[in-house]
Amino acid sequence: MPVRSYGVTPDGATVDLYTLGDESGLRAHVITYGGAIVGIETPDRNGVRANVVLALPSLADYLAQDAYLGALVGRFANRIGGASFALDGVDYRLSRNENGNCLHGGRVGFNKAVWRVLDYADAPEPRLALRHFSPDGDQGFPGGITVDVTYSVSGGNTLRIAYHAESDRPTVVNFTNHAYFNLGGATTANILDHEVTIAAERFMPIDARLIPTGEMRAVANTPFDFRAPHAIGARIGEKDEQLAAALGYDHNYVLAGSARVEPQFAARVRAPGCGRVLEVRTTEPGLQFYTGNHLDGTLRGSNGEIYGKHAGFALETQHFPDSPNQPAFPSTVLRPGERFRSATEYCFGVD
Ligand code: BGC
C-alpha cells in the first residue's frame, strides 16, 4: 500500500508511512515523523531483495531513540561548538545536547518533527514532498525557516533527496539525512567488510569535543585515505589519534571548496558478499563518514537484529561542521530573499 497510518505521537499528531517505488527496483519507505527513511529495499547480485538501512519495528521505537535513524536532520546538521555562534554582531545561544555542543539542531531537532505532506505521487516518478516550519528562536536559532524536502525515485535505482529552505531573518542552516546503511541487509552484523571509496583529498581532524580544529588535512598516508577502495574494517583499529577521538570514523571529508549546482560523485560503497553497491552524489561540499561507533546494542531492528557497534554506516552530505564559527569554511548563512538548495542522490546497483 503506498500510504498507510504509522501511529500517533504522544502529542496526538498522526504519522503516516509512504512507499516510493515498487518491487521491480528500489523501493523506499518514509514516515512523516522526522521525515525518516525506514526502509530501502534493493536486489543483490542474485536478485534477492533486502532492506539495506537500519530500521526499527514501530513508531514508539523511533520516538524513543537518539541515534537519528534515517531521519532528516536540521536546522543545523552536525555540531556547532559550544552551542553558540555570532551573526551580524549578535550572539546566539543554542540548545546544548552533546558535550556542550549543539548536535544536529539541538535537543528538539527536525528529526523529532512531524513533517507535513505537500505532495505525493507514486507514478511515473514516485515522489514525496515534505514541509517543516521552524519558528524564530527554535532551539535558539534566529529566523523562522520553511524547509521543503522532496524524496524521489528515478530509474528504479536512485533515491534523490532535494532540500529547499527560506528564512525571514538572517540565520544559518545545514541539512542532511541520517540513514545508516548495511548493504548486506538486516541479517549482517556489521559493515566492516564494506569497501568504501570517498572522493576527497582532505578530511577534517577534530578536537576532544569532536569539533573540527579548522585544519583540512591531506588523507594521504593516513587511515582516512579512501581515494581508492578500502574495507571499513581494514584500518579502523589502527593506532591513530583521530580514530581514537571518534572511536572509529566520524569525520567530515572535504569534497569541494563550495557547494555545486549539480550533484557530483562523492562516495561508493560495495558489499563484497552480496555485491550490492551504493553510490552517493551530492551538491554539498562536505561528507560526514560515520561508522555507527555509538550504536551499542540497545536498539533492535524490525527483525529483532541487535544494532551493535558498526551495525551500519552513514554518509551524511552537508556543509562543514561548526561552519558558523569557522569563517574559512563555505558559508552556511541564509538571508531573507535567498533560497537554500541542495540535492543528494543515493544510487544502488550490483557488482
Ligand atoms: C555524528 C555522530 C553521532 C551520530 C548520531 C553523526 O552525524 O557525527 O558523532 O553520534 O550522528 O548522533
Side-chain angles (χ1 to χ4, degrees):
M1 250 206 300
V3 188
R4 69 176 176 83
S5 166
Y6 196 69
V8 179
T9 68
D11 304 335
T14 55
V15 175
D16 291 322
L17 169 75
Y18 286 79
T19 295
L20 301 173
D22 58 38
E23 284 195 344
S24 67
L26 183 157
R27 183 161 67 176
H29 305 279
V30 175
I31 56 172
T32 50
Y33 178 73
I37 297 172
V38 300
I40 297 178
E41 295 147 33
T42 65
D44 71 5
R45 66 159 79 88
N46 299 316
V48 177
R49 297 175 67 82
N51 170 37
V52 296
V53 292
L54 303 196
L56 304 175
S58 72
L59 178 61
D61 299 296
Y62 279 96
L63 290 165
Q65 51 89 38
D66 268 320
Y68 300 85
L69 250 76
L72 294 174
V73 179
R75 64 168 82 184
F76 204 96
N78 214 304
R79 297 178 172 82
I80 298 180
S84 64
F85 71 100
L87 178 61
D88 299 339
V90 181
D91 289 323
Y92 294 97
R93 305 227 142 265
L94 308 172
S95 162
R96 290 171 181 251
N97 57 339
E98 191 222 36
N99 296 329
N101 302 320
C102 180
L103 172 67
H104 294 329
R107 203 172 54 77
V108 189
F110 288 7
N111 57 301
K112 294 194 192 295
V114 177
W115 291 61
R116 185 153 74 82
V117 173
L118 289 184
D119 180 31
Y120 171 65
D122 61 355
E125 195 167 277
R127 50 178 265 128
L128 173 68
L130 300 172
R131 173 168 289 180
H132 178 56
F133 174 73
S134 166
D136 184 28
D138 188 7
Q139 309 305 303
F141 288 96
I145 64 170
T146 301
V147 184
D148 291 350
V149 175
T150 303
Y151 286 104
S152 57
V153 172
S154 60
N157 68 348
T158 300
L159 178 67
R160 179 184 171 96
I161 314 177
Y163 303 81
H164 283 198
E166 289 182 25
S167 180
D168 59 17
R169 281 180 59 195
T171 191
V172 293
V173 295
N174 194 18
F175 308 114
T176 195
N177 175 282
H178 207 301
Y180 292 80
F181 298 95
N182 184 332
L183 300 182
T187 47
T188 5
N190 65 57
I191 43 72
L192 295 176
D193 70 341
H194 286 37
E195 297 155 4
V196 172
T197 307
I198 300 177
E201 305 276 331
R202 292 174 298 160
F203 79 106
M204 293 190 166
I206 49 178
D207 64 18
R209 301 169 306 158
L210 308 185
I211 298 297
T213 59
E215 179 190 353
M216 299 190 199
R217 186 178 291 173
V219 293
N221 304 315
T222 77
F224 289 83
D225 189 351
F226 286 96
R227 291 173 299 174
H230 285 275
I232 292 176
R235 298 165 299 178
I236 200 168
E238 278 184 13
K239 223 170 165 221
D240 175 275
E241 148 254 336
Q242 283 299 313
L243 288 171
L247 308 173
Y249 296 100
D250 191 359
H251 293 77
N252 181 61
Y253 281 80
V254 180
L255 300 172
S258 58
R260 287 78 55 92
V261 176
E262 291 300 325
Q264 307 289 321
F265 175 76
R268 180 177 194 269
V269 184
R270 175 176 176 271
C274 65
R276 286 196 191 85
V277 173
L278 165 63
E279 221 178 86
V280 181
R281 299 189 281 256
T282 188
T283 59
E284 288 285 358
L287 181 73
Q288 184 86 6
F289 177 42
Y290 173 54
T291 46
N293 312 330
H294 304 294
L295 296 173
D296 61 2
T298 319
L299 297 178
R300 302 234 167 180
S302 307
N303 302 308
E305 324 80 287
I306 295 170
Y307 292 150
K309 194 169 182 184
H310 310 315
F313 67 88
L315 289 169
E316 301 155 58
T317 56
Q318 57 179 6
H319 272 61
F320 303 163
D322 198 35
S323 292
N325 293 312
Q326 309 238 12
F329 292 178
S331 173
T332 50
V333 174
L334 178 66
R335 295 185 182 279
E338 295 174 349
R339 285 188 72 118
F340 172 89
R341 285 169 194 274
S342 75
T344 292
E345 293 169 353
Y346 292 107
C347 178
F348 292 87
V350 289
D351 165 15

